[in-house]
Amino acid sequence: MVRVSVLHNVDFGVVHHDDAGEGDEPPSNGEPDEPPSSVADDGELARAEIIDVARTFARVLNNRAGIHATAVPVASLRDVTAHLEARRPHLVVNLVESLRASAAWEPLVAAALERAGVAFTGSESAALRLCLDKFTCAETLRRAGVPTPRSFLCADAGRLPRGVRYPCIVKPNREDGSIGITAASVCRDEASLRERVAAVVATHRQPALVQDFVGTREINVAVLGFPSLRTLPISEIAFRHRDGAPAIVTYDSKWVEGSDDWEHTPVERAALSIPLERRIEHAVRRGVSALGLRDYARFDIRLGDADEFWIIDVNPNCGMAPDAGFASSAARAGLDYEALATQLVLQAASRLSEPTERHVEWHRRARVRRPRTPSPMAAVVA
């Protein structure tokens, strides 16, 4: 029987803690910064969803013969190492996006799995660390020749970066899931920029990322596979806001069901020309290589006139809920949720250093459904 642990964070309903906790690794190399204990938690909904995702993931994996999957909540690195020592899973589905209400711990969980020599789904710690720092991620893409908006890092509203063009958009530099993004994030003059930078720094205790606000459309490109990642069918956020509202994906758009932003940002299949799809696919492939991504990820891209585009964010540990964008893209490529879960586990299993006879047999019997109709943007991963 192949033992699979589906690790997930349980830091919703709490605020940031000031220390790592006994048995945890202390932050190093400036990451993560000391998280504040007094900061209100505006990422609560994003983190609370993960428990249902982990349970669903474990349930669908248990439908496969020869596998026993368990959803495992972790609140600290100590929990991770204790579980590995006690249960000794053959592999881990890593759904941990934060610890102690701080995304800065995300790469440290992967590092703990690497040190333990456990095969796990998703990107390695170095790639997670790189993508968590949005400014460094953007600079890495730019150096690789991938189109990205001009980006600036600002830790002090009293010292705004030179050369900012308006409109611009301001985000926390080390968050995902649109945490910290509202309509006020789009700034059209220096006064609003100064106010927004101050709000991000005070609320999230991290520098603000200031980027040119580019394009009028936004698409998501999901990638899947190992050892090579291929693109899944592209999705587009259909902005149907009231007049005057910026065409952006806010936190409410993703997490606050029934809110105005939620109702006015449905996700649809993107209608793009084949030449544009191919150019986007090429840029995403370069991004995957430059960032060292593995198994799966999502690229957020803005589209402008004359088929211009810019990669504005990369999430190597994107949401895996059955109704989330990644699963929807996989379904359009012919992978239902059970097939997607199996695909991810098979990819991790291929990296097992000492596969058991039971694992080899299960791997041989497992099958992943292929798309019925080939598409230049569909992943067909054997």
Side-chain angles (χ1 to χ4, degrees), residues 11 29 43-44 49 56 80 85 184 232 234 258 266 274-275 290 301 311 318-319 342-343 365 368:
D11 53 352
N29 299 323
E44 170 87 5
E49 181 192 60
T56 301
V80 175
E85 292 172 0
L232 298 172
I234 299 176
I274 294 299
I301 299 176
I311 293 177
C318 53
T342 303
Q343 172 82 47
R365 292 168 56 190
V368 177

Side-chain angles (χ1 to χ4, degrees), residues 150-186:
R150 292 189 320 142
S151 301
F152 305 88
L153 205 57
C154 186
D156 182 355
R159 302 177 62 184
L160 296 179
R162 295 180 180 179
V164 175
R165 299 183 191 135
Y166 299 98
C168 61
I169 186 167
V170 180
K171 315 170 187 177
N173 187 53
R174 293 193 302 269
E175 298 288 353
D176 56 23
S178 290
I179 290 174
I181 299 180
T182 72
S185 297
V186 177

Side-chain angles (χ1 to χ4, degrees), residues 92-133:
V92 165
V93 174
N94 181 21
L95 299 182
V96 180
E97 299 180 21
S98 61
L99 289 177
R100 303 177 182 276
S102 173
W105 292 98
E106 179 185 45
L108 298 183
V109 172
L113 296 172
E114 290 163 359
R115 283 194 304 275
V118 178
F120 62 95
T121 62
S123 290
E124 297 173 292
S125 60
L128 295 178
R129 184 177 294 110
L130 176 57
C131 292
L132 181 63
D133 184 331

Side-chain angles (χ1 to χ4, degrees), residues 108-250:
L108 298 183
V109 172
L113 296 172
E114 290 163 359
R115 283 194 304 275
V118 178
F120 62 95
T121 62
S123 290
E124 297 173 292
S125 60
L128 295 178
R129 184 177 294 110
L130 176 57
C131 292
L132 181 63
D133 184 331
K134 295 182 185 296
F135 177 76
T136 302
C137 179
E139 287 298 291
T140 301
L141 292 173
R142 182 185 61 80
R143 289 194 297 269
V146 178
T148 60
R150 292 189 320 142
S151 301
F152 305 88
L153 205 57
C154 186
D156 182 355
R159 302 177 62 184
L160 296 179
R162 295 180 180 179
V164 175
R165 299 183 191 135
Y166 299 98
C168 61
I169 186 167
V170 180
K171 315 170 187 177
N173 187 53
R174 293 193 302 269
E175 298 288 353
D176 56 23
S178 290
I179 290 174
I181 299 180
T182 72
S185 297
V186 177
C187 304
R188 304 187 182 279
D189 52 42
E190 182 176 319
S192 60
L193 173 59
R194 195 178 302 278
E195 180 180 347
R196 193 60 192 170
V197 168
V200 166
V201 172
T203 301
H204 300 279
R205 297 293 179 90
Q206 60 185 270
L209 177 71
V210 181
Q211 289 185 315
D212 289 350
F213 183 51
V214 294
T216 57
R217 300 168 63 190
E218 187 163 330
I219 61 173
N220 301 144
V221 181
V223 292
L224 174 68
F226 181 80
S228 61
L229 282 83
R230 302 182 184 182
T231 51
L232 298 172
I234 299 176
S235 299
E236 178 168 1
I237 293 87
F239 295 120
R240 295 169 182 163
H241 289 83
R242 60 190 181 281
D243 291 343
I248 61 173
V249 180
T250 66

